[in-house]
């Protein structure tokens, strides 16, 4: 299949989501897409081993998208060949009582990947300028000084949040975290079909929530919020990538390809060299172990 061109998906200038494709067509079969992903994720797994040994960078992968956009299955398939000790997945749901006692970025900060590890955020700190912007009443639960009613949550409030998020990402990037942000761009019709599938297939029923239909009615509001958030926060140190998500297999190949090709550019990430002392004694260590079998 044709090689994925990162530039086709990376957000460098202001975009309109309505003009972005939701379906990627590589002119290939699902079987070939599967083989391509298997090849890429094997290489990603080997890179992760080196990253772990190098232990100077962490990699943060942020996944956002409407319900049914394929975040869970993408995580399962793209990171399948990783050593479990080298990747951690965090799914951020409604803030707990403890989390609400801190600022909104706190729970994300403490979940950041350590040096040498991949961290995957399934839904991210961007929920704080997406769900809360569509439902501003949720902000009141944060008990922020000066925010006593929905009327206090104005345009300036949201501009401050975008700035805070940019500052947060710039800070962690400058301290060794490589950031990738993926928006799984799903069409409204494809979401309808996936929701129907959850209802029609008994084994998928558990995935369905009546709340999914309630949020679906706010589709246009969410698209506006995603578009603004992406345009306000796509930076060279923390870029957004808009991924066509109507075809799950193609979306996984695109995300995996972007990760691999981007990470290969960091030539300083390599296995640490042995000390001169150990190098000079390798033969002695080998002989010592071999004598044990005599």
């Amino acid at each position: 299949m044709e090689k994925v061109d990162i530039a086709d998906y990376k957000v460098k200038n202001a975009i309109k989501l309505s003009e972005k494709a939701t379906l990627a067509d590589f002119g290939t079969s699902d079987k070939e897409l599967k083989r391509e992903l298997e090849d890429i994720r094997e290489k990603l797994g080997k890179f992760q081993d080196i990253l772990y040994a190098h232990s100077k960078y962490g990699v943060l992968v942020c996944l956002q998208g409407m319900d049914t956009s394929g975040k869970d299955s993408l995580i399962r398939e793209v990171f399948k060949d990783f050593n479990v000790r080298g990747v951690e997945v965090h799914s951020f749901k409604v803030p707990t009582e403890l989390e609400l006692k801190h600022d909104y970025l706190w729970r994300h900060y403490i979940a950041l990947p350590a040096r040498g590890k991949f961290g995957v955020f399934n839904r991210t700190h961007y929920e704080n300028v997406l769900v809360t912007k569509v439902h501003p009443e949720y902000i009141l639960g944060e008990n922020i000084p000066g925010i006593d009613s929905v009327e206090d949550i104005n345009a300036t409030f949201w501009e401050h949040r975008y700035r805070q998020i940019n500052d947060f990402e710039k800070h962690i990037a400058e301290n060794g975290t490589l950031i990738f942000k993926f928006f799984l761009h799903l069409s409204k019709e494809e979401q309808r079909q996936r929701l129907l599938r959850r209802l029609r297939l008994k084994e998928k029923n558990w995935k369905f929530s009546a709340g999914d239909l309630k949020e679906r009615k706010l589709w246009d509001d969410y698209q506006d919020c995603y578009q603004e958030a992406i345009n306000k926060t796509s930076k060279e140190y923390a870029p957004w990538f808009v991924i066509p998500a109507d075809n799950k297999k193609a979306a996984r190949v695109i995300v995996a390809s972007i990760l691999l090709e981007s990470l290969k550019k960091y030539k300083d990430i390599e296995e640490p060299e042995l000390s001169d002392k150990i190098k000079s004694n390798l033969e002695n260590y080998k002989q010592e172990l071999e004598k044990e079998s005599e």
Side-chain angles (χ1 to χ4, degrees):
M1 60 171 283
E2 62 186 80
K3 186 177 180 180
V4 170
D5 187 345
I6 294 176
D8 290 341
Y9 309 99
K10 188 175 182 178
V11 177
K12 292 186 175 181
N13 302 300
I15 62 163
K16 288 186 178 180
L17 283 178
S18 61
E19 298 176 356
K20 289 290 185 179
T22 60
L23 180 64
D25 182 12
F26 291 107
T28 189
S29 65
D30 284 353
K31 189 174 182 180
E32 188 171 344
L33 286 170
K34 183 179 178 181
R35 284 199 300 266
E36 182 72 10
L37 178 60
E38 288 172 350
D39 179 62
I40 297 169
R41 75 184 181 205
E42 181 181 356
K43 293 174 182 175
L44 275 173
K46 291 178 180 177
F47 177 89
Q48 183 264 317
D49 282 338
I50 297 172
L51 181 85
Y52 188 85
H54 184 250
S55 196
K56 287 190 177 181
Y57 293 98
V59 179
L60 176 62
V61 178
C62 297
L63 296 175
Q64 284 287 163
M66 298 293 286
D67 292 331
T68 77
S69 60
K71 298 182 292 297
D72 291 341
S73 61
L74 185 147
I75 293 169
R76 182 185 68 242
E77 296 299 325
V78 170
F79 299 97
K80 186 177 286 187
D81 289 344
F82 277 44
N83 187 315
V84 293
R85 69 180 180 178
V87 60
E88 297 176 347
V89 179
H90 297 274
S91 296
F92 295 100
K93 301 185 183 299
V94 176
T96 65
E97 183 179 352
L98 173 62
E99 289 168 345
L100 286 171
K101 290 183 180 296
H102 297 268
D103 72 273
Y104 69 95
L105 287 172
W106 176 77
R107 65 176 180 161
H108 305 286
Y109 196 96
I110 62 174
L112 289 171
R115 290 187 177 89
K117 292 191 176 186
F118 276 69
V120 182
F121 284 4
N122 183 357
R123 296 191 183 276
T124 72
H125 43 294
Y126 283 93
E127 293 290 287
N128 298 283
V129 289
L130 295 168
V131 175
T132 55
K133 197 168 186 184
V134 175
H135 299 284
E137 64 274 13
Y138 293 171
I139 293 291
L140 301 180
E142 297 181 25
N143 205 27
I144 302 171
I147 304 297
D148 302 312
S149 68
V150 171
E151 287 68 34
D152 296 323
I153 306 169
N154 53 26
T156 299
F157 175 87
W158 296 114
E159 287 299 321
H160 286 171
R161 285 232 154 160
Y162 294 132
R163 175 184 54 77
Q164 291 159 4
I165 288 173
N166 284 331
D167 289 345
F168 164 67
E169 292 176 349
K170 187 174 184 181
H171 167 69
I172 64 174
E174 289 177 345
N175 284 277
T177 300
L178 309 179
I179 306 169
F180 298 87
K181 301 180 297 193
F182 298 101
F183 171 58
L184 303 185
H185 190 27
L186 186 73
S187 68
K188 192 174 183 181
E189 173 57 22
E190 180 62 22
Q191 189 197 56
R192 185 176 76 89
Q193 294 298 332
R194 292 182 186 181
L195 288 172
L196 279 171
R197 186 167 179 266
R198 289 181 178 182
L199 291 169
R200 288 170 177 160
L201 299 178
K202 187 176 180 180
E203 65 271 21
K204 301 290 184 180
N205 286 172
W206 66 273
K207 289 187 174 184
F208 182 79
S209 167
D212 294 339
L213 297 184
K214 181 180 177 182
E215 293 300 284
R216 179 173 164 79
K217 293 176 181 178
L218 300 169
W219 180 275
D220 290 341
D221 293 336
Y222 275 106
Q223 294 300 299
D224 289 343
C225 290
Y226 269 112
Q227 180 174 292
E228 182 170 15
I230 290 169
N231 286 335
K232 295 277 188 182
T233 62
S234 191
K235 307 294 182 181
E236 194 56 38
Y237 56 82
W240 274 104
F241 299 89
V242 177
I243 310 299
D246 282 3
N247 182 327
K248 288 186 178 182
K249 290 182 175 62
R252 295 165 192 162
V253 169
I254 295 169
V255 168
S257 297
I258 290 172
L259 285 173
L260 180 61
E261 293 307 311
S262 299
L263 291 169
K264 281 164 56 177
K265 295 177 182 178
Y266 289 86
K267 301 301 182 183
D268 59 325
I269 299 178
E270 54 188 10
E271 293 176 351
E273 287 194 20
L274 296 174
S275 68
D276 291 340
K277 181 179 180 181
I278 293 180
K279 278 183 180 180
S280 62
N281 282 285
L282 284 178
E283 190 60 33
N284 293 333
Y285 299 143
K286 178 182 173 183
Q287 290 177 8
E288 182 179 337
L289 288 167
E290 288 175 342
K291 286 179 180 179
E292 290 183 10
S293 63
E294 295 177 356

PDB file of all heavy atoms in Angstrom, residues 162-185:
ATOM      1  N   TYR A 162      -7.270  27.423  27.148  1.00  0.00           N
ATOM      2  CA  TYR A 162      -6.409  27.060  26.012  1.00  0.00           C
ATOM      3  C   TYR A 162      -4.957  27.430  26.318  1.00  0.00           C
ATOM      4  O   TYR A 162      -4.025  26.661  26.033  1.00  0.00           O
ATOM      5  CB  TYR A 162      -6.862  27.770  24.740  1.00  0.00           C
ATOM      6  CG  TYR A 162      -8.228  27.345  24.232  1.00  0.00           C
ATOM      7  CD1 TYR A 162      -9.186  28.296  23.881  1.00  0.00           C
ATOM      8  CD2 TYR A 162      -8.547  26.001  24.092  1.00  0.00           C
ATOM      9  CE1 TYR A 162     -10.435  27.920  23.410  1.00  0.00           C
ATOM     10  CE2 TYR A 162      -9.798  25.607  23.623  1.00  0.00           C
ATOM     11  CZ  TYR A 162     -10.741  26.574  23.282  1.00  0.00           C
ATOM     12  OH  TYR A 162     -11.978  26.192  22.821  1.00  0.00           O
ATOM     13  N   ARG A 163      -4.761  28.606  26.908  1.00  0.00           N
ATOM     14  CA  ARG A 163      -3.398  29.033  27.255  1.00  0.00           C
ATOM     15  C   ARG A 163      -2.792  28.093  28.296  1.00  0.00           C
ATOM     16  O   ARG A 163      -1.620  27.707  28.194  1.00  0.00           O
ATOM     17  CB  ARG A 163      -3.412  30.470  27.793  1.00  0.00           C
ATOM     18  CG  ARG A 163      -2.033  30.946  28.284  1.00  0.00           C
ATOM     19  CD  ARG A 163      -2.090  32.334  28.896  1.00  0.00           C
ATOM     20  NE  ARG A 163      -3.077  32.454  29.955  1.00  0.00           N
ATOM     21  CZ  ARG A 163      -2.903  31.982  31.196  1.00  0.00           C
ATOM     22  NH1 ARG A 163      -1.787  31.343  31.528  1.00  0.00           N
ATOM     23  NH2 ARG A 163      -3.849  32.156  32.113  1.00  0.00           N
ATOM     24  N   GLN A 164      -3.592  27.710  29.296  1.00  0.00           N
ATOM     25  CA  GLN A 164      -3.096  26.814  30.335  1.00  0.00           C
ATOM     26  C   GLN A 164      -2.710  25.454  29.763  1.00  0.00           C
ATOM     27  O   GLN A 164      -1.681  24.874  30.139  1.00  0.00           O
ATOM     28  CB  GLN A 164      -4.176  26.659  31.419  1.00  0.00           C
ATOM     29  CG  GLN A 164      -4.401  27.914  32.239  1.00  0.00           C
ATOM     30  CD  GLN A 164      -5.760  27.933  32.923  1.00  0.00           C
ATOM     31  OE1 GLN A 164      -6.535  26.969  32.846  1.00  0.00           O
ATOM     32  NE2 GLN A 164      -6.070  29.046  33.598  1.00  0.00           N
ATOM     33  N   ILE A 165      -3.509  24.962  28.846  1.00  0.00           N
ATOM     34  CA  ILE A 165      -3.213  23.671  28.216  1.00  0.00           C
ATOM     35  C   ILE A 165      -1.942  23.771  27.380  1.00  0.00           C
ATOM     36  O   ILE A 165      -1.078  22.888  27.422  1.00  0.00           O
ATOM     37  CB  ILE A 165      -4.411  23.196  27.373  1.00  0.00           C
ATOM     38  CG1 ILE A 165      -5.553  22.745  28.294  1.00  0.00           C
ATOM     39  CG2 ILE A 165      -3.998  22.059  26.431  1.00  0.00           C
ATOM     40  CD1 ILE A 165      -6.848  22.420  27.572  1.00  0.00           C
ATOM     41  N   ASN A 166      -1.805  24.859  26.630  1.00  0.00           N
ATOM     42  CA  ASN A 166      -0.576  25.056  25.846  1.00  0.00           C
ATOM     43  C   ASN A 166       0.647  25.139  26.752  1.00  0.00           C
ATOM     44  O   ASN A 166       1.703  24.561  26.457  1.00  0.00           O
ATOM     45  CB  ASN A 166      -0.686  26.322  25.000  1.00  0.00           C
ATOM     46  CG  ASN A 166      -1.567  26.141  23.775  1.00  0.00           C
ATOM     47  OD1 ASN A 166      -1.672  25.047  23.233  1.00  0.00           O
ATOM     48  ND2 ASN A 166      -2.208  27.214  23.338  1.00  0.00           N
ATOM     49  N   ASP A 167       0.506  25.853  27.864  1.00  0.00           N
ATOM     50  CA  ASP A 167       1.620  25.979  28.806  1.00  0.00           C
ATOM     51  C   ASP A 167       1.981  24.630  29.417  1.00  0.00           C
ATOM     52  O   ASP A 167       3.167  24.296  29.580  1.00  0.00           O
ATOM     53  CB  ASP A 167       1.265  26.970  29.920  1.00  0.00           C
ATOM     54  CG  ASP A 167       1.224  28.415  29.446  1.00  0.00           C
ATOM     55  OD1 ASP A 167       1.729  28.694  28.340  1.00  0.00           O
ATOM     56  OD2 ASP A 167       0.680  29.267  30.185  1.00  0.00           O
ATOM     57  N   PHE A 168       0.964  23.852  29.771  1.00  0.00           N
ATOM     58  CA  PHE A 168       1.156  22.515  30.342  1.00  0.00           C
ATOM     59  C   PHE A 168       1.932  21.636  29.364  1.00  0.00           C
ATOM     60  O   PHE A 168       2.927  20.992  29.729  1.00  0.00           O
ATOM     61  CB  PHE A 168      -0.211  21.911  30.659  1.00  0.00           C
ATOM     62  CG  PHE A 168      -0.229  20.424  30.903  1.00  0.00           C
ATOM     63  CD1 PHE A 168       0.390  19.878  32.012  1.00  0.00           C
ATOM     64  CD2 PHE A 168      -0.899  19.571  30.026  1.00  0.00           C
ATOM     65  CE1 PHE A 168       0.360  18.508  32.258  1.00  0.00           C
ATOM     66  CE2 PHE A 168      -0.935  18.211  30.250  1.00  0.00           C
ATOM     67  CZ  PHE A 168      -0.312  17.671  31.359  1.00  0.00           C
ATOM     68  N   GLU A 169       1.505  21.631  28.106  1.00  0.00           N
ATOM     69  CA  GLU A 169       2.151  20.783  27.111  1.00  0.00           C
ATOM     70  C   GLU A 169       3.556  21.270  26.780  1.00  0.00           C
ATOM     71  O   GLU A 169       4.474  20.457  26.577  1.00  0.00           O
ATOM     72  CB  GLU A 169       1.280  20.716  25.854  1.00  0.00           C
ATOM     73  CG  GLU A 169      -0.022  19.964  26.104  1.00  0.00           C
ATOM     74  CD  GLU A 169      -0.966  19.950  24.921  1.00  0.00           C
ATOM     75  OE1 GLU A 169      -0.716  20.714  23.951  1.00  0.00           O
ATOM     76  OE2 GLU A 169      -1.948  19.195  24.953  1.00  0.00           O
ATOM     77  N   LYS A 170       3.740  22.576  26.743  1.00  0.00           N
ATOM     78  CA  LYS A 170       5.076  23.096  26.465  1.00  0.00           C
ATOM     79  C   LYS A 170       6.033  22.740  27.589  1.00  0.00           C
ATOM     80  O   LYS A 170       7.190  22.355  27.348  1.00  0.00           O
ATOM     81  CB  LYS A 170       5.024  24.614  26.295  1.00  0.00           C
ATOM     82  CG  LYS A 170       6.352  25.208  25.833  1.00  0.00           C
ATOM     83  CD  LYS A 170       6.233  26.696  25.535  1.00  0.00           C
ATOM     84  CE  LYS A 170       7.530  27.255  24.986  1.00  0.00           C
ATOM     85  NZ  LYS A 170       7.441  28.712  24.705  1.00  0.00           N
ATOM     86  N   HIS A 171       5.552  22.823  28.809  1.00  0.00           N
ATOM     87  CA  HIS A 171       6.386  22.490  29.971  1.00  0.00           C
ATOM     88  C   HIS A 171       6.841  21.034  29.919  1.00  0.00           C
ATOM     89  O   HIS A 171       8.038  20.744  30.088  1.00  0.00           O
ATOM     90  CB  HIS A 171       5.601  22.744  31.258  1.00  0.00           C
ATOM     91  CG  HIS A 171       6.236  22.165  32.484  1.00  0.00           C
ATOM     92  ND1 HIS A 171       7.410  22.647  33.014  1.00  0.00           N
ATOM     93  CD2 HIS A 171       5.872  21.120  33.274  1.00  0.00           C
ATOM     94  CE1 HIS A 171       7.737  21.948  34.084  1.00  0.00           C
ATOM     95  NE2 HIS A 171       6.822  21.001  34.262  1.00  0.00           N
ATOM     96  N   ILE A 172       5.914  20.104  29.675  1.00  0.00           N
ATOM     97  CA  ILE A 172       6.314  18.696  29.691  1.00  0.00           C
ATOM     98  C   ILE A 172       7.148  18.349  28.460  1.00  0.00           C
ATOM     99  O   ILE A 172       8.042  17.499  28.536  1.00  0.00           O
ATOM    100  CB  ILE A 172       5.097  17.751  29.840  1.00  0.00           C
ATOM    101  CG1 ILE A 172       4.155  17.857  28.636  1.00  0.00           C
ATOM    102  CG2 ILE A 172       4.354  18.049  31.131  1.00  0.00           C
ATOM    103  CD1 ILE A 172       3.020  16.842  28.677  1.00  0.00           C
ATOM    104  N   ALA A 173       6.885  19.040  27.336  1.00  0.00           N
ATOM    105  CA  ALA A 173       7.697  18.800  26.134  1.00  0.00           C
ATOM    106  C   ALA A 173       9.133  19.234  26.357  1.00  0.00           C
ATOM    107  O   ALA A 173      10.080  18.554  25.943  1.00  0.00           O
ATOM    108  CB  ALA A 173       7.092  19.541  24.945  1.00  0.00           C
ATOM    109  N   GLU A 174       9.314  20.362  27.028  1.00  0.00           N
ATOM    110  CA  GLU A 174      10.664  20.867  27.286  1.00  0.00           C
ATOM    111  C   GLU A 174      11.414  20.014  28.301  1.00  0.00           C
ATOM    112  O   GLU A 174      12.627  20.124  28.434  1.00  0.00           O
ATOM    113  CB  GLU A 174      10.588  22.316  27.775  1.00  0.00           C
ATOM    114  CG  GLU A 174      10.172  23.298  26.680  1.00  0.00           C
ATOM    115  CD  GLU A 174      10.019  24.721  27.184  1.00  0.00           C
ATOM    116  OE1 GLU A 174       9.963  24.907  28.426  1.00  0.00           O
ATOM    117  OE2 GLU A 174       9.946  25.641  26.353  1.00  0.00           O
ATOM    118  N   ASN A 175      10.677  19.142  28.976  1.00  0.00           N
ATOM    119  CA  ASN A 175      11.304  18.273  29.968  1.00  0.00           C
ATOM    120  C   ASN A 175      11.317  16.805  29.544  1.00  0.00           C
ATOM    121  O   ASN A 175      11.439  15.913  30.377  1.00  0.00           O
ATOM    122  CB  ASN A 175      10.603  18.442  31.315  1.00  0.00           C
ATOM    123  CG  ASN A 175      10.997  19.733  32.010  1.00  0.00           C
ATOM    124  OD1 ASN A 175      12.028  19.800  32.679  1.00  0.00           O
ATOM    125  ND2 ASN A 175      10.202  20.777  31.817  1.00  0.00           N
ATOM    126  N   GLY A 176      11.206  16.574  28.228  1.00  0.00           N
ATOM    127  CA  GLY A 176      11.450  15.225  27.719  1.00  0.00           C
ATOM    128  C   GLY A 176      10.247  14.389  27.346  1.00  0.00           C
ATOM    129  O   GLY A 176      10.406  13.194  27.077  1.00  0.00           O
ATOM    130  N   THR A 177       9.056  14.970  27.303  1.00  0.00           N
ATOM    131  CA  THR A 177       7.873  14.202  26.875  1.00  0.00           C
ATOM    132  C   THR A 177       7.559  14.522  25.416  1.00  0.00           C
ATOM    133  O   THR A 177       7.368  15.687  25.063  1.00  0.00           O
ATOM    134  CB  THR A 177       6.647  14.521  27.751  1.00  0.00           C
ATOM    135  OG1 THR A 177       6.928  14.191  29.120  1.00  0.00           O
ATOM    136  CG2 THR A 177       5.430  13.730  27.292  1.00  0.00           C
ATOM    137  N   LEU A 178       7.527  13.498  24.595  1.00  0.00           N
ATOM    138  CA  LEU A 178       7.184  13.645  23.176  1.00  0.00           C
ATOM    139  C   LEU A 178       5.672  13.478  23.055  1.00  0.00           C
ATOM    140  O   LEU A 178       5.121  12.443  23.448  1.00  0.00           O
ATOM    141  CB  LEU A 178       7.913  12.605  22.335  1.00  0.00           C
ATOM    142  CG  LEU A 178       9.433  12.522  22.556  1.00  0.00           C
ATOM    143  CD1 LEU A 178      10.036  11.431  21.669  1.00  0.00           C
ATOM    144  CD2 LEU A 178      10.095  13.865  22.286  1.00  0.00           C
ATOM    145  N   ILE A 179       5.000  14.489  22.512  1.00  0.00           N
ATOM    146  CA  ILE A 179       3.533  14.528  22.537  1.00  0.00           C
ATOM    147  C   ILE A 179       2.945  14.333  21.148  1.00  0.00           C
ATOM    148  O   ILE A 179       3.349  14.988  20.188  1.00  0.00           O
ATOM    149  CB  ILE A 179       3.042  15.874  23.111  1.00  0.00           C
ATOM    150  CG1 ILE A 179       3.682  16.148  24.482  1.00  0.00           C
ATOM    151  CG2 ILE A 179       1.520  15.889  23.224  1.00  0.00           C
ATOM    152  CD1 ILE A 179       3.455  17.565  24.983  1.00  0.00           C
ATOM    153  N   PHE A 180       1.968  13.427  21.077  1.00  0.00           N
ATOM    154  CA  PHE A 180       1.211  13.202  19.846  1.00  0.00           C
ATOM    155  C   PHE A 180      -0.281  13.253  20.190  1.00  0.00           C
ATOM    156  O   PHE A 180      -0.736  12.516  21.065  1.00  0.00           O
ATOM    157  CB  PHE A 180       1.539  11.835  19.245  1.00  0.00           C
ATOM    158  CG  PHE A 180       2.968  11.670  18.841  1.00  0.00           C
ATOM    159  CD1 PHE A 180       3.917  11.228  19.770  1.00  0.00           C
ATOM    160  CD2 PHE A 180       3.389  11.963  17.560  1.00  0.00           C
ATOM    161  CE1 PHE A 180       5.246  11.067  19.407  1.00  0.00           C
ATOM    162  CE2 PHE A 180       4.722  11.806  17.192  1.00  0.00           C
ATOM    163  CZ  PHE A 180       5.653  11.364  18.106  1.00  0.00           C
ATOM    164  N   LYS A 181      -1.032  14.089  19.477  1.00  0.00           N
ATOM    165  CA  LYS A 181      -2.459  14.238  19.758  1.00  0.00           C
ATOM    166  C   LYS A 181      -3.252  13.860  18.505  1.00  0.00           C
ATOM    167  O   LYS A 181      -3.069  14.459  17.449  1.00  0.00           O
ATOM    168  CB  LYS A 181      -2.772  15.677  20.189  1.00  0.00           C
ATOM    169  CG  LYS A 181      -1.988  16.101  21.441  1.00  0.00           C
ATOM    170  CD  LYS A 181      -2.290  17.519  21.886  1.00  0.00           C
ATOM    171  CE  LYS A 181      -1.894  18.568  20.883  1.00  0.00           C
ATOM    172  NZ  LYS A 181      -1.895  19.942  21.442  1.00  0.00           N
ATOM    173  N   PHE A 182      -4.108  12.858  18.651  1.00  0.00           N
ATOM    174  CA  PHE A 182      -4.872  12.353  17.517  1.00  0.00           C
ATOM    175  C   PHE A 182      -6.368  12.578  17.725  1.00  0.00           C
ATOM    176  O   PHE A 182      -6.925  12.163  18.749  1.00  0.00           O
ATOM    177  CB  PHE A 182      -4.622  10.856  17.330  1.00  0.00           C
ATOM    178  CG  PHE A 182      -3.189  10.505  17.028  1.00  0.00           C
ATOM    179  CD1 PHE A 182      -2.352  10.013  18.029  1.00  0.00           C
ATOM    180  CD2 PHE A 182      -2.676  10.682  15.752  1.00  0.00           C
ATOM    181  CE1 PHE A 182      -1.036   9.685  17.757  1.00  0.00           C
ATOM    182  CE2 PHE A 182      -1.357  10.353  15.464  1.00  0.00           C
ATOM    183  CZ  PHE A 182      -0.528   9.857  16.467  1.00  0.00           C
ATOM    184  N   PHE A 183      -6.997  13.231  16.757  1.00  0.00           N
ATOM    185  CA  PHE A 183      -8.449  13.363  16.746  1.00  0.00           C
ATOM    186  C   PHE A 183      -8.992  12.381  15.731  1.00  0.00           C
ATOM    187  O   PHE A 183      -8.700  12.482  14.536  1.00  0.00           O
ATOM    188  CB  PHE A 183      -8.876  14.789  16.388  1.00  0.00           C
ATOM    189  CG  PHE A 183     -10.360  14.927  16.153  1.00  0.00           C
ATOM    190  CD1 PHE A 183     -11.262  14.579  17.167  1.00  0.00           C
ATOM    191  CD2 PHE A 183     -10.859  15.376  14.944  1.00  0.00           C
ATOM    192  CE1 PHE A 183     -12.635  14.693  16.962  1.00  0.00           C
ATOM    193  CE2 PHE A 183     -12.232  15.487  14.728  1.00  0.00           C
ATOM    194  CZ  PHE A 183     -13.120  15.149  15.742  1.00  0.00           C
ATOM    195  N   LEU A 184      -9.762  11.392  16.207  1.00  0.00           N
ATOM    196  CA  LEU A 184     -10.354  10.403  15.318  1.00  0.00           C
ATOM    197  C   LEU A 184     -11.625  11.004  14.732  1.00  0.00           C
ATOM    198  O   LEU A 184     -12.653  11.108  15.402  1.00  0.00           O
ATOM    199  CB  LEU A 184     -10.643   9.108  16.083  1.00  0.00           C
ATOM    200  CG  LEU A 184      -9.419   8.471  16.765  1.00  0.00           C
ATOM    201  CD1 LEU A 184      -9.794   7.133  17.392  1.00  0.00           C
ATOM    202  CD2 LEU A 184      -8.263   8.300  15.793  1.00  0.00           C
ATOM    203  N   HIS A 185     -11.521  11.421  13.480  1.00  0.00           N
ATOM    204  CA  HIS A 185     -12.561  12.202  12.807  1.00  0.00           C
ATOM    205  C   HIS A 185     -13.596  11.272  12.179  1.00  0.00           C
ATOM    206  O   HIS A 185     -13.384  10.695  11.109  1.00  0.00           O
ATOM    207  CB  HIS A 185     -11.899  13.092  11.755  1.00  0.00           C
ATOM    208  CG  HIS A 185     -12.796  14.108  11.150  1.00  0.00           C
ATOM    209  ND1 HIS A 185     -13.890  14.638  11.810  1.00  0.00           N
ATOM    210  CD2 HIS A 185     -12.757  14.722   9.919  1.00  0.00           C
ATOM    211  CE1 HIS A 185     -14.478  15.531  11.031  1.00  0.00           C
ATOM    212  NE2 HIS A 185     -13.821  15.587   9.878  1.00  0.00           N
TER     213      HIS A 185
END
